[in-house]
Amino acid sequence: MERKFIPLSVPNIKGNELEYVTQAVKDEWVSTGGSYIETFEKNISDYLGVEQAAAVQSGTAGLHLSLIQSGVGVGDEVFAATLTFIAAVNPIRYVGAEPIFMDCDDSLCIDPDKILQFIKEECTFTDGILTNNQTKRQIKAILGVHVFGNLMDMEKLVEIADQYNLKLIEDATEALGSYYTEGKYKGQYAGTIGDFGVYSFNGNKIITTGGGGMVVAKKKEDLDYLKYLSTQAKDDTTSFIHHAVGYNYRMTNLQAALGVGQLEQLESFIETKKANYDLYKELFDQNEKVEVIDFDATIRPNYWFYALRIKNDPDIQGIIQALHEKGIQTRPIWGLIHEQKPYLKAQSYKIEKATYYVKHILNIPCSSNLEQDDVRYVAECLNEIL
Ligand SMILES: Cc1ncc(COP(=O)(O)O)c(C=O)c1O
């Protein structure tokens, strides 16, 4: 029997999604108004234990609006991760600011100790303003990513942000459902601790709306204004009065209908992902050349993406090709952002671990509809190749 192709991460749409989307179509509410949008916002905020959420067109749009609302603008600077997807950095440029690229720690997330080191060695803090000594520009925010569903060290990051008057934006696009099980933020979900938290429902995320995002914020007035900006800044909906430059960033009712159905299954997706992750761990246990990277022990991760660290000096592209020939899709971790063409002139600081991980990590199939038999086949092929 021929095996079916095993993709890396694909949507899993087998719940009430079709019923809800059909209802939205039948109601003829398909655009940026309609009851599913509010239901989705309410269900997400209930799940996260926050008061409110704002549904937007994408995670990227959510990050863009969060930066605007953080007061980051032309000529400012923002601490950003180099080991991430580029959408976590581009919005810094959308607002005319510049990233300062930071290394990751062993959680693969931005390293707070290096941020602090940079501040102490390279900055001046006077009258509540943090200035980069080299560029003379003000640093206004930290935009960090909860990579692959792992969690950043928010205790340290909040401390730094409070001490140096920085806004803290959590890119939780990959981490919906991850929360702390220990420490100061025990019980709190990714995205709900900083000034803003942004989620994505892109096709490869743990739940999907095709494309879409959600924003939560510490201050209600920030979220209200962000929502206003996302809907073309309408001050008077009947006479077209606008007091700000708005955006067409609101989620549609069709996307939200899909999201309501997906959210109902989030916890079961996490259960499946955990079971498959545990099985991979067991199957690679005897292979000394590889290690399935652990999620932090002080969190309940959402197990979104599995990262396999291949020791020695691996030919990642060769491995990807060999697996492709066996009907398995895998991918390298991203290209480091400070090495990408648009960012070659940006400042970066002691990038060491990210450079190592980028050469050693392979992302392996992790869809929430992946069968255990598929996990066994992937591990068998990899154990054979390595
Ligand atoms: C870390 C990170 N940030 C931002 C985004 C952007 O989200 P979206 O695709 O919804 O714009 C993604 C994923 O696509 C991501 O992985």
Side-chain angles (χ1 to χ4, degrees), residues 58-60 63 84-85 87-88 145 171 173-174 200-202 205 212 334:
S58 65
T60 311
L63 290 170
T84 184
F85 181 50
V145 181
D171 179 331
T173 52
E174 306 178 355
S200 165
F201 311 116
N202 196 358
K205 296 297 184 287
W334 311 277

Side-chain angles (χ1 to χ4, degrees), residues 196-254:
F196 296 91
V198 179
Y199 306 88
S200 165
F201 311 116
N202 196 358
N204 70 350
K205 296 297 184 287
I206 191 150
I207 63 168
T208 185
T209 59
M214 192 72 75
V215 185
V216 298
K218 198 150 70 181
K219 290 191 190 146
K220 182 183 178 312
E221 58 272 27
D222 276 341
L223 200 68
D224 288 344
Y225 196 77
L226 191 147
K227 217 179 231 185
Y228 157 81
L229 288 180
S230 76
T231 49
Q232 305 283 26
K234 291 179 188 139
D235 285 278
D236 185 318
T237 46
T238 51
S239 50
F240 295 98
I241 304 297
H242 309 267
H243 295 317
V245 176
Y247 298 82
N248 183 11
Y249 276 174
R250 186 79 169 143
M251 181 181 275
T252 68
N253 202 43
L254 277 181

Side-chain angles (χ1 to χ4, degrees), residues 290-347:
V290 299
E291 173 202 19
V292 182
I293 292 192
D294 286 323
F295 289 95
D296 198 291
T298 64
I299 71 166
R300 191 295 291 260
N302 69 354
Y303 296 92
W304 177 59
F305 249 48
Y306 311 143
L308 194 68
R309 181 172 74 88
I310 305 172
K311 300 172 193 172
N312 302 326
D313 199 9
D315 168 14
I316 296 279
Q317 286 304 336
I319 296 168
I320 290 171
Q321 186 52 35
L323 288 168
H324 183 77
E325 281 158 22
K326 290 176 180 290
I328 300 167
Q329 185 186 23
T330 53
R331 54 156 244 197
I333 207 167
W334 311 277
L336 298 178
I337 312 300
H338 77 286
E339 293 175 349
Q340 309 280 342
K341 199 170 168 194
Y343 296 106
L344 288 176
K345 289 191 180 146
Q347 193 172 5

Side-chain angles (χ1 to χ4, degrees), residues 4-194:
K4 61 181 187 320
F5 183 72
I6 304 177
L8 182 71
S9 178
V10 287
N12 184 354
I13 306 181
K14 299 194 182 56
N16 293 320
E17 296 90 337
L18 190 58
E19 181 193 329
Y20 299 157
V21 173
T22 304
Q23 192 57 52
V25 172
K26 279 188 183 159
D27 294 344
E28 296 179 316
W29 282 91
V30 295
S31 191
T32 53
S35 63
Y36 280 112
I37 303 173
E38 277 159 30
T39 305
F40 191 35
E41 287 175 335
K42 165 114 188 24
N43 293 356
I44 285 271
S45 40
D46 287 350
Y47 176 82
L48 295 172
V50 297
E51 275 190 22
Q52 259 183 296
V56 290
Q57 271 297 326
S58 65
T60 311
L63 290 170
H64 185 189
L65 293 175
S66 299
L67 282 161
I68 294 172
Q69 197 54 20
S70 294
V72 178
V74 178
D76 293 329
E77 294 187 349
V78 176
F79 289 118
T82 188
L83 187 76
T84 184
F85 181 50
I86 201 162
V89 177
N90 285 338
I92 296 170
R93 282 277 175 83
Y94 298 171
V95 297
E98 275 298 308
I100 304 169
F101 287 108
M102 286 288 141
D103 202 10
C104 64
D105 58 24
D106 290 319
S107 70
L108 306 181
C109 304
I110 201 162
D111 182 343
D113 294 331
K114 279 197 176 160
I115 295 181
L116 196 56
Q117 215 179 339
F118 179 88
I119 290 174
K120 290 191 170 150
E121 286 172 6
E122 310 279 343
C123 300
T124 309
F125 184 61
T126 322
D127 298 332
I129 292 175
L130 187 66
T131 305
N132 181 343
N133 293 340
Q134 187 181 311
T135 61
K136 309 287 179 237
R137 290 194 283 237
Q138 183 177 354
I139 306 171
K140 289 254 184 90
I142 301 170
L143 198 175
V145 181
H146 297 294
V147 174
F148 296 156
N150 217 347
L151 293 183
M152 294 184 271
D153 186 338
M154 288 302 289
E155 286 193 29
K156 282 189 183 163
L157 288 169
V158 168
E159 230 170 78
I160 295 168
D162 285 350
Q163 191 175 353
Y164 294 102
N165 196 20
L166 301 169
K167 293 285 183 186
L168 184 52
I169 300 170
E170 290 177 67
D171 179 331
T173 52
E174 306 178 355
L176 178 67
S178 300
Y179 61 84
Y180 296 89
T181 52
E182 284 175 31
K184 186 172 177 191
Y185 298 116
K186 184 176 174 179
Q188 272 183 262
Y189 281 89
T192 66
I193 295 161

